[in-house]
Amino acid sequence: MQIKTFEADNMTEALKAAKEAFGPEAVILGVKTNKPAGRFLGKWKKQKVTLTAATDTSYAVYDEVSISKKKPASFTTSPPIFRSPERKPSRSISNDRGTSIRSFSRPTNRPSVKDMLPASYVKKLFWLHQQMLMAGVAEDSVQELMVLVHTVAVGRARISEEILMDILEKAIQDRIRMRPDPNTDKGLPKRMVFVGPTGVGKTTTIAKIATIYSHQRKSSIGLITLDDQRIGGISQLAIYARILGIPMKAASSPLTLRKALRNLSDKQLILVDTAGVNPNDLEQLNKIELLIAEIETPHVHLVLSTTTKARDLNVILDAFQPFPVRNLIFTKLDESTTQGNILSRAIQTGIPLSYYADGRNIPDDIHVMTAKRLMRMIFNETSLRRAKSASPEILAERLHVFESELEKHPLKFRPYRTVSTEWGEENGKTPYVEYAHTAESNGGR
Ligand SMILES: Nc1nc2c(ncn2[C@@H]2O[C@H](COP(=O)(O)OP(=O)(O)OP(=O)(O)O)[C@@H](O)[C@H]2O)c(=O)[nH]1
Ligand SMILES: [Mg+2]
């Protein structure tokens, strides 16, 4: 047995590296996401995934790990009592020569998912997967999350929907972590800058945050607008400033910005508004970037609208890549039917989410993003209905594809030594044996 760690930018790459080094039978022993410290310095995806994998030439290491019935293990740790069964694949699709496609895709001595994992567990994972897709989470993000969930869940004795959701929530929490926590004033950034494309709600978001901090939390606030690009750019924020009774300065050059910052230096929080940018306008992007460079430790929020098309969002994210973005804010959730792309973008960029806005009301329609809220946006009536609306044939096919994906996964599926009755198992026997009987008595299904 050889154990090695693999570091990569994301889970997929780390798994690929492990597979390349140890082959498809590599056993994953641990996964860790290394959180980046400090700002992003203009690059997305500074975080790294560290994966510990082992060759599967010996099962000895697992013998040393005792499975506690009280405290389930995080990873598959069953003893080597399992032997690959000799029996028909649980389901086969025949090609025109009448040969099982499945038997081609898998070495004969390698058991299928159905052989190794209880059907109820696979089904629960499948529904989680389907609902995320139906909520608009991008496929690669869903896959990444499923790997994380499965890695933690696979060795556990008792897996209910609630436990799976809990594991998923923790995985999401890890990926969208926010620093500092906008719920508390502790570590509140002194200078928040809001950048983004035109009309996404930057100024409205600033008005909401300014209201919360000045009126509800009694912090002293100052506003600066760099939006001198269009008629009304300055006056819009000036109106909010007047209503809230807080000072506002306008600046359009490094010199005037420095002056404005000096003027407001006694404030606990300075909110800086910028002009909406066409992501293809390099000149305008450069101008804002240069101005932001004048601000000491700026906490930059990139404001995006959930109504923007996926392809356009890619262009926008590319355009703002050189900016020192610390957080993403999504707006207009009230105008979009699915919110899964919020999660995908946080995963894709590695940038934590801070707030989300779901209406025009100041300040009521802004909220701190949490993993729990994100879970509610994804797992709701709509995504469930969509997931279940597919015909039985399509669902069966999707399940089949899902199982194949699970099979390709380098995690070693092992039988469980558990007393969980949920898996139809008692007295420390493996559910696999139980399941094998069921599969055989069903004629391979
Ligand atoms: N439905 C909805 N409308 C919003 C939300 N946030 C902002 N708006 C509206 O979107 C429009 C544009 O908002 P602004 O705050 O001016 O957007 P901006 O990003 O500052 O725009 P520019 O400065 O022109 O780039 C306004 O009509 C806002 O009321 C939201 O969460 N939901
Ligand atoms: Mg504006």
Side-chain angles (χ1 to χ4, degrees):
M1 160 99 41
Q2 228 191 317
I3 298 178
K4 204 173 158 186
T5 56
F6 301 86
E7 199 182 68
D9 287 340
N10 55 47
M11 180 67 70
T12 315
E13 273 177 42
L15 287 172
K16 204 169 141 215
K19 259 182 163 180
E20 270 166 18
F22 290 160
E25 300 293 306
V27 179
I28 308 304
L29 301 176
V31 184
K32 209 172 96 196
T33 307
N34 302 322
K35 296 169 186 172
R39 23 186 283 182
F40 281 86
L41 299 171
K43 276 216 160 148
W44 305 149
K45 276 279 183 193
K46 278 277 177 178
Q47 65 185 13
K48 292 273 178 199
V49 171
T50 308
L51 185 146
T52 310
T55 48
D56 195 31
T57 50
S58 157
Y59 288 88
V61 70
Y62 295 104
D63 289 331
E64 291 160 18
V65 186
S66 65
I67 301 173
S68 156
K69 285 166 191 168
K70 285 191 192 110
K71 192 166 172 274
S74 296
F75 300 99
T76 316
T77 49
S78 304
I81 49 173
F82 168 70
R83 291 285 174 273
S84 182
E86 273 179 38
R87 61 192 170 90
K88 291 178 217 148
S90 52
R91 178 155 56 125
S92 59
I93 297 176
S94 294
N95 62 17
D96 35 8
R97 272 171 293 171
T99 341
S100 163
I101 289 170
R102 274 209 161 193
S103 59
F104 274 120
S105 62
R106 186 183 337 112
T108 43
N109 64 346
R110 194 169 143 204
S112 76
V113 166
K114 286 198 167 192
D115 299 328
M116 300 300 295
L117 294 172
S120 65
Y121 169 70
V122 174
K123 273 216 171 114
K124 280 176 195 136
L125 270 190
F126 173 68
W127 282 112
L128 215 62
H129 176 270
Q130 285 299 295
Q131 237 180 299
M132 280 200 271
L133 284 179
M134 294 303 138
V137 186
E139 222 168 312
D140 54 349
S141 303
V142 174
Q143 200 162 343
E144 197 167 327
L145 288 169
M146 291 314 294
V147 169
L148 286 171
V149 170
H150 180 51
T151 305
V152 177
V154 74
R156 294 205 177 179
R158 203 181 277 268
I159 293 289
S160 61
E161 271 97 353
E162 288 73 29
I163 290 175
L164 277 182
M165 295 284 271
D166 255 18
I167 297 171
L168 178 64
E169 190 180 314
K170 285 196 181 76
I172 290 177
Q173 208 159 27
D174 189 44
R175 303 308 307 269
I176 65 156
R177 78 237 166 270
M178 277 163 274
R179 250 183 272 121
D181 180 352
N183 266 321
T184 69
D185 290 351
K186 229 162 83 189
L188 178 73
K190 191 155 164 49
R191 288 159 285 262
M192 289 196 203
V193 184
F194 298 77
V195 299
T198 53
V200 289
K202 296 178 293 299
T203 309
T204 313
T205 299
I206 288 176
K208 289 170 180 171
I209 293 174
T211 311
I212 291 170
Y213 278 105
S214 68
H215 283 211
Q216 295 172 4
R217 299 199 190 174
K218 310 290 178 210
S219 305
S220 60
I221 307 281
L223 301 178
I224 296 179
T225 179
L226 309 178
D227 186 1
D228 65 339
Q229 305 283 312
R230 61 186 178 92
I231 302 165
I234 294 175
S235 65
Q236 190 188 356
L237 197 65
I239 293 168
Y240 293 133
R242 206 167 47 240
I243 295 169
L244 295 171
I246 54 181
M248 190 208 90
K249 309 281 171 204
S252 56
S253 67
L255 193 71
T256 49
L257 177 56
R258 277 200 293 271
K259 203 170 149 204
L261 287 164
R262 259 199 317 275
N263 253 303
L264 298 170
S265 61
D266 62 325
K267 301 296 172 204
Q268 284 170 297
L269 175 63
I270 300 172
L271 301 170
V272 182
D273 195 9
T274 61
V277 188
N278 170 348
N280 299 311
D281 188 340
L282 268 184
E283 201 181 315
Q284 210 192 350
L285 281 162
N286 286 340
K287 187 183 167 193
I288 294 178
E289 204 187 336
L290 279 175
L291 283 173
I292 292 175
E294 289 297 324
I295 304 170
E296 197 191 330
T297 56
H299 190 110
V300 180
H301 296 265
L302 173 56
V303 185
L304 302 164
S305 167
T306 39
T307 57
T308 307
K309 288 201 294 283
R311 225 172 261 191
D312 295 337
L313 262 183
N314 289 341
V315 175
I316 293 163
L317 286 167
D318 270 356
F320 282 94
Q321 195 158 322
F323 284 64
V325 174
R326 292 283 302 266
N327 284 120
L328 299 180
I329 293 180
F330 277 89
T331 61
K332 309 199 181 184
L333 270 73
D334 53 313
E335 291 184 7
S336 75
T337 49
T338 53
Q339 271 99 40
N341 63 336
I342 300 177
L343 177 59
S344 311
R345 297 308 174 165
I347 291 177
Q348 181 195 354
T349 59
I351 304 176
L353 304 159
S354 52
Y355 302 95
Y356 68 92
D358 56 0
R360 308 166 80 156
N361 296 318
I362 298 169
D364 293 349
D365 295 337
I366 190 157
H367 316 274
V368 170
M369 183 62 92
T370 62
K372 220 173 229 13
R373 286 178 171 162
L374 209 43
M375 289 287 284
R376 265 186 247 132
M377 289 174 197
I378 292 163
F379 297 95
N380 51 31
E381 291 290 320
T382 315
S383 58
L384 185 65
R385 200 181 50 247
R386 284 186 184 162
K388 291 197 163 165
S389 65
S391 68
E393 292 75 27
I394 288 180
L395 274 179
E397 194 47 47
R398 282 182 191 164
L399 179 61
H400 177 65
V401 172
F402 179 73
E403 286 168 355
S404 314
E405 282 303 312
L406 220 51
E407 261 170 46
K408 276 192 237 151
H409 195 274
L411 276 173
K412 184 82 185 169
F413 302 129
R414 288 168 193 285
Y416 298 80
R417 192 158 60 175
T418 150
V419 290
S420 165
T421 46
E422 189 192 340
W423 307 68
E425 208 34 54
E426 292 290 356
N427 306 327
K429 280 192 296 175
T430 67
Y432 163 69
V433 177
E434 182 69 28
Y435 185 69
H437 286 321
T438 318
E440 272 166 7
S441 59
N442 283 350
R445 270 202 66 90

